[in-house]
């Protein structure tokens, strides 16, 4: 599905832009990955004795697979709500740089902050990856509506997957469930590699992969955060050095 040209009359209506965003979920392999992943999350919720309604609400309000797994497993193991909330919040910090990098792509001089609240909530790794692919093909004044459509489409797919996975839980072995959940980080890794066009992007990606095993040996629970910050800082230094030389 090719999006209309930037000057096409089809972009005049925000509802048409929303519809194009909704249709765009059929143009990314990450939709299938999300569906399979949320099958596993639905099954996990069933096995830890949470209701289907609870599982669906966690998808709507948390909207981040790893954070939902943390929420389900911590509450299921007897942790308090406060302990679970802290764990989920620490996990969600990783999404903050994605929100900061994506929202400027949608803003116009007339955009009000309240118009970005829902788009910020929808910004998870999948939407962040696809925004960088789709938004250059969308007129700036219609990008918020487009992202709303894309995000709502992805959430809807995950809600359906939650429901299917919840009722199929009895037929999923523990090994298969773990393998399904592994699809998400692998797909994000390959998608990030595909979208790495600048030298700094490649440096950050490679260093992140190399430094992660070293950070994991710290046994701090912050291995991804530490390796990501160090790799990103070095990559920014490389980018700054290249800009100065140019």
């Amino acid at each position: 599905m090719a999006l209309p040209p930037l000057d096409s009359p089809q972009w005049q209506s925000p509802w048409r832009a929303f519809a194009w965003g909704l249709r765009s979920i059929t143009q990314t392999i990450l939709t299938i990955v999300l569906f399979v992943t949320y099958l596993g999350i639905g099954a996990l919720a069933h096995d830890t004795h949470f209701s289907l309604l609870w599982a669906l609400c966690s998808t709507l309000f948390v909207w981040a697979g790893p954070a939902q797994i943390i929420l389900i497993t911590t509450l299921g193991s007897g942790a308090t709500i406060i302990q679970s909330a802290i764990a989920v919040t620490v996990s969600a910090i990783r999404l903050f740089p994605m929100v900061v990098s994506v929202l400027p792509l949608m803003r116009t001089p007339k955009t009000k902050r309240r118009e970005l609240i829902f788009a910020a909530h929808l910004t998870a790794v999948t939407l962040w990856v696809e925004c960088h692919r789709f938004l250059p093909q969308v007129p700036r004044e219609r990008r918020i509506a487009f992202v709303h459509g894309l995000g709502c489409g992805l959430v809807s797919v995950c809600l359906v997957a939650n429901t299917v996975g919840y009722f199929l839980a009895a037929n999923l072995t523990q090994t298969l469930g773990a393998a399904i959940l592994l699809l998400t980080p692998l797909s994000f890794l390959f998608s990030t590699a595909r979208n790495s066009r600048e030298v700094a992007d490649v440096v950050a990606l490679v260093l992140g992969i190399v430094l992660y095993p070293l950070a994991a040996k710290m046994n701090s629970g912050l291995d991804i955060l530490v390796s990501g910050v160090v790799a990103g800082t070095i990559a920014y230094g490389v980018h700054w050095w290249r800009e100065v030389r140019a």
Side-chain angles (χ1 to χ4, degrees):
M1 180 191 73
L3 295 176
L6 291 176
D7 57 354
S8 171
Q10 297 188 55
W11 291 116
Q12 292 180 0
S13 167
W15 288 107
R16 292 293 296 274
F18 180 92
W20 280 112
L22 195 62
R23 292 177 60 186
S24 294
I25 68 171
T26 63
Q27 302 305 304
T28 169
I29 190 64
L30 294 182
T31 300
I32 299 175
V33 173
L34 275 180
F35 183 85
V36 176
T37 299
Y38 275 80
L39 283 177
I41 293 177
L44 181 63
H46 176 277
D47 291 343
T48 46
H49 308 292
F50 289 101
S51 68
L52 175 60
L53 178 61
W54 189 95
L56 296 177
C57 287
S58 75
T59 296
L60 283 173
F61 297 119
V62 178
W63 182 228
Q68 287 175 249
I69 294 172
I70 292 172
L71 179 64
I72 294 171
T73 53
T74 52
L75 289 177
S77 63
T80 65
I81 294 178
I82 294 178
Q83 291 171 327
S84 299
I86 293 174
V88 170
T89 300
V90 171
S91 170
I93 290 174
R94 66 194 169 84
L95 300 177
F96 181 72
M98 299 180 190
V99 175
V100 172
S101 67
V102 163
L103 292 188
L105 300 178
M106 309 177 201
R107 298 187 66 174
T108 69
K110 298 181 180 179
T111 301
K112 299 178 181 179
R113 290 185 179 179
R114 65 173 180 269
E115 297 173 358
L116 297 171
I117 293 176
F118 189 50
H121 170 66
L122 291 172
T123 302
V125 179
T126 301
L127 189 126
W128 173 75
V129 168
E130 295 307 325
C131 277
H132 285 280
R133 185 162 70 100
F134 285 124
L135 290 188
Q137 307 173 56
V138 180
R140 182 168 286 272
E141 65 274 11
R142 292 291 177 255
R143 289 181 179 180
I144 294 178
F146 180 89
V147 169
H148 286 172
L150 178 61
C152 287
L154 293 173
V155 172
S156 299
V157 168
C158 293
L159 292 176
V160 172
N162 272 160
T163 304
V164 175
Y166 191 89
F167 289 111
L168 288 179
N171 298 319
L172 287 178
T173 65
Q174 186 175 4
T175 302
L176 179 58
I180 286 174
L181 295 176
L182 183 62
L183 285 176
T184 299
L186 286 177
S187 65
F188 292 155
L189 175 62
F190 293 141
S191 297
T192 303
R194 179 193 64 188
N195 291 335
S196 296
R197 298 181 177 88
E198 302 290 336
V199 173
D201 298 334
V202 177
V203 171
L205 179 63
V206 173
L207 283 180
I209 295 173
V210 172
L211 293 176
Y212 175 76
L214 300 177
K217 292 183 178 181
M218 298 168 56
N219 294 321
S220 64
L222 300 175
D223 39 23
I224 296 178
L225 179 62
V226 171
S227 59
V229 169
V230 173
T233 302
I234 294 175
Y236 176 78
V238 171
H239 173 74
W240 178 82
W241 179 71
R242 286 170 57 85
E243 288 291 320
V244 170
R245 289 194 60 186

